Amino acid sequence: MTEVRKPLIAANWKMYKGPRETRDFVGRFAGLYPPRTDRTIVFFPPAISIPAFLDATVGRPDLQVGVQDVHADLEGAHTGAISAPMAAETGVGWGLAGHSERRSEFGDDDADVAGKLRRLLDAGLKPILCVGETLEERTAGRLEEVLRRQIEAALGGLGGRRWSPPVLAYEPVWAIGTGETASPADASEAHAIVREVRLEAPGDAARVVILYGGSVKPDNIDALLGARGVDGVLVGGASLEPASFARICDGRFDPQLL
Ligand code: 13P
């Protein structure tokens, strides 16, 4: 039986919204966005707001939740950090690894990202591996090399673990929070590269899910979701306001377009 593709639409709230604002958002968003079975919605609130998110969504199991970051160790003297098993215990189902802000602000290198990916899988969470090039790397013609390096390094740490289906987010660093968006054609080109790297890896490569992230907004969601090879989006700034994110979650998607 062929599976019907459905888009994955994810909100990365970064360091916005404590528990109170989280509850307020969910109350308003739920009124604007009734459950739909033809798409998957996942929120990444700050870790401290996860219990509030789960409380507020008791009647809305379609609104899923994940953790923005975990440490590559299981426990230890790492002030401020949380581990993948701790996150799993709170009830989240997903986890991000390799976000460019973790790489640039917190110094996460490819080895850290590989460790985090591995821990997320071991904790039974669904990881989303974020990759993307800087403007400098793009201008120097290094797009493919950078994406390949980031993905291969992360896969190299899996040690035979099954990651199925693999979910990746292509987030060009120059498009994050800048208002600059990759054109649908740019996104398709990069997604084809990501898909090819995955295809060379063992496992269920054909089913790889690739999200686009970087200044996704209500006014470009239809074009981006309509681009070949785009299976969904990872949204920062425009996911912070209920009406804006509800519109994004209703974006037009063609399940036939691969
Ligand atoms: P913006 O949508 O604010 O550009 O952020 C994108 C992002 O980093 C999502 O993870």
Side-chain angles (χ1 to χ4, degrees), residues 9-67:
I9 298 177
N12 176 9
W13 282 356
K14 309 190 179 183
M15 201 175 75
Y16 292 96
K17 299 193 191 298
R20 188 160 22 91
E21 283 185 86
T22 296
R23 271 185 225 102
D24 179 56
F25 177 99
V26 172
R28 293 199 286 145
F29 179 79
L32 295 168
Y33 180 80
R36 291 180 62 156
T37 52
D38 63 344
R39 48 205 58 208
T40 303
I41 312 292
V42 187
F43 288 85
F44 293 89
I48 203 150
S49 299
I50 287 170
F53 186 93
L54 286 165
D55 265 1
T57 52
V58 164
R60 287 294 301 266
D62 59 309
L63 304 179
Q64 302 183 37
V65 62
V67 63

Side-chain angles (χ1 to χ4, degrees), residues 12 14 99 101 171 175-178 213-217 234-238:
N12 176 9
K14 309 190 179 183
H99 192 281
E101 285 150 18
E171 298 206 303
I176 295 179
T178 58
S215 297
V216 175
K217 304 267 186 287
L234 180 55
V235 188

Side-chain angles (χ1 to χ4, degrees), residues 109-131:
D109 62 16
D110 286 336
D112 294 319
V113 176
K116 292 176 182 208
L117 183 68
R118 191 168 59 232
R119 293 303 186 198
L120 288 168
L121 284 170
D122 286 348
L125 302 179
K126 297 185 191 119
I128 299 181
L129 172 65
C130 305
V131 297

Side-chain angles (χ1 to χ4, degrees), residues 169-216:
Y170 167 63
E171 298 206 303
V173 178
W174 48 270
I176 295 179
T178 58
E180 275 302 311
T181 315
S183 66
D186 287 340
S188 293
E189 182 200 3
H191 285 214
I193 295 171
V194 172
R195 212 170 288 277
E196 199 175 290
V197 182
R198 278 294 315 171
L199 281 170
E200 290 166 12
D204 312 73
R207 294 179 52 222
V208 62
V209 174
I210 309 173
L211 316 182
Y212 168 78
S215 297
V216 175

